Coordinates of all heavy atoms in Angstrom, one line a residue:
E1 N -3.2 7.9 36.7 CA -2.0 7.9 35.8 C -0.9 8.9 36.4 O 0.2 8.6 36.3 CB -2.5 8.4 34.4 CG -3.2 7.4 33.7 CD -3.6 7.9 32.3 OE1 -2.7 8.4 31.6 OE2 -4.7 7.7 31.9
I2 N -1.4 10.0 36.9 CA -0.5 10.9 37.5 C 0.3 10.3 38.7 O 1.5 10.3 38.8 CB -1.1 12.2 38.0 CG1 -1.7 13.0 36.8 CG2 -0.2 13.1 38.9 CD1 -2.6 14.1 37.1
Y3 N -0.4 9.6 39.6 CA 0.1 8.9 40.7 C 1.1 7.8 40.2 O 2.2 7.7 40.8 CB -0.9 8.3 41.6 CG -1.6 9.3 42.5 CD1 -3.0 9.0 42.8 CD2 -1.1 10.4 42.9 CE1 -3.7 9.9 43.6 CE2 -1.8 11.3 43.7 CZ -3.1 11.0 44.0 OH -3.8 11.9 44.9
A4 N 0.7 7.1 39.2 CA 1.6 6.0 38.7 C 2.9 6.5 38.2 O 4.0 6.0 38.5 CB 0.8 5.2 37.7
R5 N 2.8 7.6 37.4 CA 4.0 8.3 36.9 C 5.0 8.7 38.0 O 6.2 8.8 37.8 CB 3.7 9.4 35.9 CG 3.3 8.9 34.6 CD 3.2 10.1 33.6 NE 1.8 10.1 33.1 CZ 1.0 11.1 33.2 NH1 1.4 12.3 33.6 NH2 -0.2 11.0 32.8
Q6 N 4.4 9.1 39.2 CA 5.1 9.6 40.3 C 5.7 8.4 41.2 O 6.4 8.6 42.1 CB 4.3 10.5 41.2 CG 3.9 11.8 40.5 CD 2.9 12.6 41.3 OE1 2.3 12.1 42.3 NE2 2.8 13.9 41.0
G7 N 5.3 7.2 40.7 CA 5.7 6.0 41.5 C 4.9 5.8 42.8 O 5.2 5.0 43.6
R8 N 3.7 6.4 42.8 CA 2.8 6.3 44.0 C 1.8 5.3 43.6 O 0.6 5.6 43.4 CB 2.1 7.7 44.3 CG 3.1 8.7 44.7 CD 2.5 10.1 44.9 NE 1.3 10.1 45.8 CZ 0.6 11.2 46.0 NH1 0.8 12.3 45.4 NH2 -0.4 11.1 46.8
Y9 N 2.2 4.0 43.6 CA 1.4 2.9 43.0 C 0.2 2.6 43.9 O -0.9 2.3 43.3 CB 2.3 1.7 42.8 CG 3.4 1.9 41.8 CD1 4.7 1.7 42.2 CD2 3.1 2.4 40.5 CE1 5.7 2.0 41.3 CE2 4.2 2.7 39.6 CZ 5.5 2.5 40.1 OH 6.5 2.7 39.1
D10 N 0.3 2.7 45.2 CA -0.9 2.4 46.0 C -2.0 3.5 45.8 O -3.2 3.1 45.7 CB -0.5 2.3 47.5 CG 0.3 1.1 47.8 OD1 0.2 0.1 47.1 OD2 1.2 1.2 48.7
D11 N -1.6 4.7 45.6 CA -2.6 5.8 45.4 C -3.2 5.6 44.0 O -4.4 5.8 43.8 CB -1.9 7.2 45.5 CG -1.4 7.5 46.9 OD1 -2.1 7.0 47.9 OD2 -0.5 8.2 47.1
A12 N -2.3 5.2 43.0 CA -2.8 5.0 41.7 C -3.8 3.8 41.7 O -4.9 3.9 41.0 CB -1.6 4.6 40.8
L13 N -3.5 2.7 42.3 CA -4.4 1.6 42.4 C -5.8 2.0 43.0 O -6.8 1.6 42.4 CB -3.8 0.5 43.2 CG -2.8 -0.4 42.5 CD1 -2.2 -1.4 43.5 CD2 -3.4 -1.1 41.3
A14 N -5.8 2.8 44.0 CA -7.0 3.3 44.6 C -7.9 4.1 43.6 O -9.1 3.9 43.5 CB -6.8 4.1 45.9
E15 N -7.2 4.9 42.9 CA -8.0 5.7 41.8 C -8.5 4.8 40.7 O -9.6 5.0 40.3 CB -7.1 6.9 41.3 CG -6.7 7.9 42.3 CD -8.0 8.7 42.8 OE1 -8.9 8.8 42.0 OE2 -7.9 9.1 44.0
F16 N -7.6 3.9 40.3 CA -8.1 3.0 39.2 C -9.2 2.1 39.6 O -10.2 1.9 38.8 CB -6.9 2.2 38.7 CG -5.8 3.0 38.0 CD1 -4.5 2.6 38.2 CD2 -6.1 4.1 37.2 CE1 -3.5 3.3 37.5 CE2 -5.1 4.8 36.6 CZ -3.7 4.4 36.7
E17 N -9.2 1.7 40.9 CA -10.3 0.9 41.4 C -11.6 1.6 41.5 O -12.7 1.1 41.3 CB -9.9 0.2 42.8 CG -8.8 -0.9 42.5 CD -8.2 -1.4 43.8 OE1 -8.4 -0.7 44.9 OE2 -7.4 -2.3 43.7
R18 N -11.5 2.9 41.9 CA -12.7 3.8 41.9 C -13.2 4.0 40.5 O -14.4 3.9 40.3 CB -12.3 5.2 42.4 CG -12.1 5.2 43.9 CD -11.9 6.6 44.5 NE -11.5 6.6 45.8 CZ -10.2 6.7 46.3 NH1 -9.2 7.0 45.5 NH2 -10.0 6.7 47.6
S19 N -12.3 4.1 39.5 CA -12.8 4.3 38.2 C -13.4 3.0 37.7 O -14.5 3.0 37.0 CB -11.5 4.6 37.2 OG -11.9 4.6 35.9
L20 N -12.8 1.8 38.0 CA -13.4 0.6 37.6 C -14.9 0.4 38.2 O -15.8 0.1 37.5 CB -12.6 -0.6 38.1 CG -13.1 -2.0 37.9 CD1 -13.3 -2.3 36.4 CD2 -12.1 -3.0 38.5
A21 N -15.0 0.8 39.5 CA -16.3 0.7 40.1 C -17.3 1.6 39.4 O -18.5 1.1 39.1 CB -16.3 1.0 41.6
Q22 N -17.0 2.8 39.1 CA -17.8 3.7 38.4 C -18.3 3.2 37.0 O -19.5 3.2 36.7 CB -17.2 5.1 38.1 CG -17.2 6.0 39.3 CD -16.5 7.3 38.9 OE1 -15.7 7.4 38.0 NE2 -16.9 8.4 39.6
R23 N -17.3 2.7 36.3 CA -17.6 2.2 35.0 C -18.4 0.9 35.0 O -19.3 0.7 34.1 CB -16.3 2.0 34.2 CG -15.7 3.4 33.9 CD -14.1 3.3 33.7 NE -13.6 4.6 33.7 CZ -13.2 5.3 32.6 NH1 -13.4 4.7 31.4 NH2 -12.7 6.5 32.6
E24 N -18.2 0.0 36.0 CA -19.0 -1.2 36.1 C -20.5 -0.7 36.4 O -21.4 -1.3 35.9 CB -18.5 -2.1 37.2 CG -17.2 -2.8 36.8 CD -16.7 -3.6 38.0 OE1 -16.9 -3.3 39.2 OE2 -15.9 -4.6 37.6
R25 N -20.7 0.2 37.3 CA -22.1 0.7 37.7 C -22.7 1.3 36.4 O -23.9 1.1 36.2 CB -22.0 1.7 38.8 CG -21.8 1.2 40.2 CD -22.0 2.2 41.2 NE -21.2 3.3 41.2 CZ -20.0 3.5 41.7 NH1 -19.5 2.5 42.4 NH2 -19.3 4.6 41.6
A26 N -22.0 2.0 35.6 CA -22.5 2.6 34.4 C -22.7 1.6 33.3 O -23.3 2.0 32.3 CB -21.7 3.8 34.0
G27 N -22.2 0.5 33.4 CA -22.3 -0.5 32.3 C -21.4 -0.2 31.1 O -21.8 -0.6 30.0
K28 N -20.3 0.5 31.3 CA -19.5 0.9 30.2 C -18.4 -0.1 30.0 O -17.3 -0.1 30.7 CB -18.9 2.3 30.5 CG -19.9 3.4 30.5 CD -19.3 4.7 30.6 CE -20.5 5.7 30.6 NZ -20.0 7.1 30.6
E29 N -18.6 -1.1 29.2 CA -17.7 -2.2 29.0 C -16.3 -1.8 28.5 O -15.3 -2.4 29.1 CB -18.3 -3.3 28.1 CG -17.6 -4.6 28.0 CD -17.5 -5.3 29.4 OE1 -18.4 -5.2 30.2 OE2 -16.4 -5.8 29.7
V30 N -16.2 -0.9 27.6 CA -14.9 -0.5 27.1 C -14.2 0.2 28.3 O -13.0 -0.1 28.5 CB -15.0 0.4 25.9 CG1 -13.7 1.0 25.6 CG2 -15.6 -0.3 24.7
G31 N -14.8 1.0 29.0 CA -14.2 1.7 30.1 C -13.8 0.7 31.2 O -12.8 0.9 31.9
V32 N -14.6 -0.4 31.4 CA -14.2 -1.4 32.4 C -12.9 -2.0 32.0 O -12.0 -2.2 32.8 CB -15.3 -2.5 32.5 CG1 -14.8 -3.7 33.3 CG2 -16.5 -1.8 33.3
R33 N -12.8 -2.4 30.7 CA -11.5 -3.0 30.2 C -10.3 -2.1 30.4 O -9.2 -2.5 30.7 CB -11.7 -3.5 28.8 CG -12.5 -4.7 28.6 CD -12.4 -5.3 27.2 NE -12.7 -4.4 26.2 CZ -13.9 -4.3 25.6 NH1 -14.9 -5.1 25.9 NH2 -14.1 -3.4 24.6

């Protein structure tokens, strides 16, 4: 979110994708969404 607010979209995407992977591994469906 910080990166996105700064307009650093590629960095933001990398962090969001890491978050997605973590939440998928943990089986946290709300977090995945």
Side-chain angles (χ1 to χ4, degrees):
E1 287 181 47
I2 292 167
Y3 285 150
R5 279 188 242 128
Q6 294 173 341
R8 295 172 57 185
Y9 300 123
D10 291 330
D11 294 328
L13 280 174
E15 291 298 326
F16 294 145
E17 288 167 354
R18 285 183 190 102
S19 177
L20 176 61
Q22 277 182 336
R23 290 157 192 259
E24 285 175 336
R25 282 192 303 273
K28 296 185 177 185
E29 190 57 39
V30 172
V32 167
R33 284 195 304 264

